[in-house]
Amino acid sequence: DTEVTQTPKHLVMGMTNKKSLKCEQHMGHRAMYWYKQKAKKPPELMFVYSYEKLSINESVPSRFSPECPNSSLLNLHLHALQPEDSALYLCASSQVLVGETEAFFGQGTRLTVV
Amino acid sequence: GESVGLHLPTLSVQEGDNSIINCAYSNSASDYFIWYKQESGKGPQFIIDIRSNMDKRQGQRVTVLLNKTVKHLSLQIAATQPGDSAVYFCAENKGAQKLVFGQGTRLTINP
């Protein structure tokens, strides 16, 4: 199994809603990532978990709250988002190695904030 | 500063021709690079990688060249097919699982 599975595929939420994005992998990877991608732009790193601990937070606003409940799952909790947060949210996973870690990506969740 | 960028945002090639997509990087300490392909509505897909102790690596129909002297990376796709239409990103792995993407090149195949 070389897949990273993200749910839901599409999400529309209001600015006062609370929602969660989910990501799952069964490749035994111990690093998991959240990226945000706006239209016609490259993916931008948001968070990295290594061995279920948050290792990188790229100065992401607190309305985005990541959670890694176990080595296979990664969540992104959303609260009080703004319309400019509308984007494709990508989850990825990789082995934890020094310097050489290709990441495998899911298909993304297309988020629209209204 | 540190950045990974691309020379051209779009590239059109004839079906069957070879495609060359370029990427420049500024951090001379970078030691690992990856090319990803992203089709519309999908996540990035790994194509090929290269370490800084190499200057060339070949895969199936793809070749990556690394020129550390001028900090330049290229992806060559042989005999381009319609299925190669996508946005191609070079990415730099800075270690500690920090993967930074360049701006991307959209490859369009003309029949």
Side-chain angles (χ1 to χ4, degrees), chain A residues 31 33 35 37 41-43 45 48 50 56 58 90 96-97 99-103 105-107, chain B residues 31-32 34 36 38 41-44 46 49 51 89 93 95-103:
Chain A
Y33 313 70
Y35 282 81
Q37 187 177 25
K41 296 291 186 183
L45 184 63
V48 181
S50 293
I56 296 177
E58 292 286 278
L90 293 162
V96 179
L97 295 173
E100 301 170 358
T101 54
E102 69 181 84
F105 284 81
Q107 299 302 306
Chain B
D31 60 2
Y32 181 57
I34 307 169
Y36 282 94
Q38 188 174 24
K42 297 185 177 181
F46 173 86
D49 59 2
R51 296 169 179 76
F89 294 101
N93 193 312
Q97 286 71 52
K98 186 167 182 175
L99 191 65
V100 175
F101 283 75
Q103 290 303 306

Side-chain angles (χ1 to χ4, degrees), chain B residues 2-77:
Chain B
E2 299 176 348
S3 66
V4 180
L6 293 172
H7 292 306
L8 294 172
T10 61
L11 177 66
S12 292
V13 299
Q14 291 295 122
E15 183 177 348
D17 287 353
N18 297 337
S19 301
I20 299 176
I21 301 171
N22 296 304
C23 179
Y25 64 95
S26 59
N27 184 0
S28 57
S30 298
D31 60 2
Y32 181 57
F33 303 89
I34 307 169
W35 281 101
Y36 282 94
K37 172 185 180 183
Q38 188 174 24
E39 296 176 278
S40 180
K42 297 185 177 181
Q45 177 186 1
F46 173 86
I47 301 173
I48 193 168
D49 59 2
I50 189 166
R51 296 169 179 76
S52 61
N53 61 354
M54 305 168 70
D55 53 19
K56 180 179 180 179
R57 191 167 188 217
Q58 289 185 290
Q60 186 178 11
R61 280 202 308 119
V62 295
T63 300
V64 55
L65 299 178
L66 177 62
N67 185 330
K68 294 180 286 293
T69 301
V70 295
K71 291 184 282 189
H72 182 268
L73 194 67
S74 69
L75 176 70
Q76 300 178 5
I77 304 173

